[in-house]
Amino acid sequence: SSGINAEYRGVTRQSVSGCRQASCGNLDFQEGVGRTIKAVRDIQIGEIVLEDSALLAVPDGFPVCLGCLGRVDGSYLCAGCGCPLCSDACPGISTHKAECDLLASNKVIPAGIDCGAPHGLYAVLAVVRALLLKHDNPQEYEAVEELMDHWEERRKEKGVVEMVRFMGAFCRTKLGMEWVTDIDVQHAFGVLKTNGVGRWVKKVLSLPEPFSDIPTPVPPILTWWTGQQ
C-alpha cells in the first residue's frame, strides 16, 4: 500500500511488479491511467486480491507521530526537532531521523502544534519524505518515478499549483534542500494523491480516489521558532 497512515499516505514498494497477487487478476497497463489489475473471474467479498508492503508511509495533513504515524496528544515532543511523538520509545522512530535532522539543523522548530487540527507542516513532510527517498536511495525511488501523478488534471484544482510552489520554496529556503525542483515536488505530491491508500487514525481517514481528488487547501501559515529573537 502506498502508505498513508493516519493520515497516512504512501506508495507501494511493488506498485510495479513482484507484489504478492492472487490468481483472480492479471497485471495490465492502461494509457492515461497506468498499471491496473484486471479481474479474470468473479471476486468474492473480502477476498484478498493483492498484498504489498509500503515503500513510503507519510502523514497526510494532520499531526501524528512521525515515527509510527500513530496518535499524538502533544505530551511528548521529539528532542531533536520538537514535533509531537507518541512516546520516547516509539518503535518507528528511525523513520523520522532524516527529516528530524533537516528540521533541527535548519532551526525550523514548529511552534505550538494543535494535535487536533490540520497543520501545514504535515502536508509538507509527506512530500519531503518522498524527496529524501529520491535523494538518498534513487534506486528505490525509481518505482515512484514510474507511477502516475495526473499533474495535468491536478493543476486545475484550486490552490494546488500555489501549494506545490510553496512546498518547493519551503524545501529549498527553509530546509536547505537546494536540489529540489518544483517538478520533483509536483510529481511526489501527485503520486501520493493518486496512488496513496489510507487508514483510520483518530477521526480522519485518507480516502482513496476519487475522494482524494478533493482539492487540498494551501497549507496554513506556518509559525516557527527559529532560535533567534
Side-chain angles (χ1 to χ4, degrees), residues 61 118-125 159-160 162-167 170 189 216-222:
H119 195 287
L121 173 65
Y122 292 84
V124 174
L125 285 180
V160 167
E162 292 80 1
M163 179 169 59
V164 165
R165 288 174 180 164
F166 170 88
M167 289 179 173
F170 187 90
F189 172 83
T216 305
V218 175
I221 295 174
L222 304 180

Side-chain angles (χ1 to χ4, degrees), residues 62-176:
F62 277 72
V64 291
C65 175
L66 292 174
C68 65
L69 297 175
R71 294 178 176 87
V72 291
D73 59 14
S75 60
Y76 183 78
L77 302 180
C78 176
C81 67
C83 289
L85 297 176
C86 64
S87 73
D88 60 354
C90 174
I93 195 61
S94 60
T95 306
H96 174 51
K97 186 180 186 312
E99 69 212 24
C100 178
D101 290 345
L102 274 179
L103 294 170
S105 63
N106 288 283
K107 294 185 170 60
V108 177
I109 311 298
I113 290 179
D114 179 354
C115 295
H119 195 287
L121 173 65
Y122 292 84
V124 174
L125 285 180
V127 170
V128 167
R129 283 196 178 181
L131 296 178
L132 286 173
L133 180 67
K134 176 183 175 74
H135 183 267
D136 298 339
N137 198 335
Q139 191 169 12
E140 286 256 289
Y141 196 76
E142 287 178 4
V144 180
E145 296 279 20
E146 293 180 14
L147 294 174
M148 304 287 286
D149 60 24
H150 295 296
W151 180 247
E152 290 306 312
E153 291 77 25
R154 294 198 181 280
R155 68 184 302 170
K156 299 172 185 175
E157 298 170 4
K158 183 178 180 181
V160 167
V161 171
E162 292 80 1
M163 179 169 59
V164 165
R165 288 174 180 164
F166 170 88
M167 289 179 173
F170 187 90
C171 288
R172 291 186 292 269
T173 63
K174 295 294 186 182
L175 298 180

